[in-house]
Amino acid sequence: MLYFVVLIAGLCQASDLEKGLIDLARRAVIAEVRHLPLPKPLESTPARPVFVTIEHDGKVIGCRGDLSIRTKSLEQEVILAARGAAAHDPRYRPLSIAILKDFLVTVTIIDRLEPLSDIRRLEPLDGLVLKASGKWGIVLPWEGKEPLIRLKWAYQKAGVQQGAASELSRLIATRSRG
């Protein structure tokens, strides 16, 4: 039984890479808002698709990223997404300097997409990607629990009428917050 508890505790702790990416995202947000030079990554991990979400007082105030790789490293992907979330998310106003005193950042690293034929098979920790009429609606993992609600959100994010012909994918990702 003790082994099980130790194993669970080990899984709950963020890895050094995750901690480093959270720190990098926070520094990129601060640099973007204060108009400072962007941080230089100390590491160079192979690039993967990333989303960075910024929250303040329990509310999302910025989220940007992409399902495809746009740079040469994971660290550069995090910086690019953090910049976008801080000042270039069209759904929210650019962050103010006052927000920098107390904000939470989440880095979501996309592992893979899997075709999804039945929305009821979506697991609670899965994200959802909807492609309809050449537009995309992405609901990140942990955004809502009910599959039909997440489907509704995906249609809204894609900007297409609910029920329109679409392709669905399960989004499997790793999420780190800090």
Side-chain angles (χ1 to χ4, degrees), residues 60-74:
V60 173
I61 57 174
C63 181
R64 298 305 289 166
D66 206 294
L67 294 173
S68 56
I69 296 168
R70 301 170 289 172
T71 68
K72 295 181 180 181
S73 74
L74 177 58

Side-chain angles (χ1 to χ4, degrees), residues 34-104:
R34 292 190 176 272
H35 305 289
L36 301 171
L38 292 172
K40 300 268 190 240
L42 299 176
E43 301 288 327
S44 184
T45 307
R48 305 225 340 250
V50 169
F51 283 81
V52 171
T53 306
I54 304 169
E55 297 173 65
H56 183 260
D57 288 337
K59 295 179 183 170
V60 173
I61 57 174
C63 181
R64 298 305 289 166
D66 206 294
L67 294 173
S68 56
I69 296 168
R70 301 170 289 172
T71 68
K72 295 181 180 181
S73 74
L74 177 58
E75 292 78 9
Q76 289 174 331
E77 291 290 332
V78 168
I79 291 169
L80 185 62
R83 276 189 74 206
H88 307 282
D89 185 333
R91 300 168 295 176
Y92 304 99
R93 283 194 250 162
L95 270 58
S96 67
I97 290 175
I99 295 292
L100 299 180
K101 294 176 186 169
D102 183 33
F103 70 97
L104 179 67

Side-chain angles (χ1 to χ4, degrees), residues 143-162:
E143 280 188 288
K145 293 185 182 15
E146 295 298 322
L148 292 176
I149 297 293
R150 289 189 274 167
L151 179 60
K152 177 182 173 184
W153 292 347
Y155 273 110
Q156 289 173 345
K157 289 181 176 192
V160 297
Q161 184 175 5
Q162 190 165 345

Side-chain angles (χ1 to χ4, degrees), residues 17-29:
L17 176 62
E18 291 170 325
K19 289 176 187 175
L21 294 176
I22 291 291
D23 180 61
L24 184 61
R26 292 183 68 78
R27 289 187 295 126
V29 166

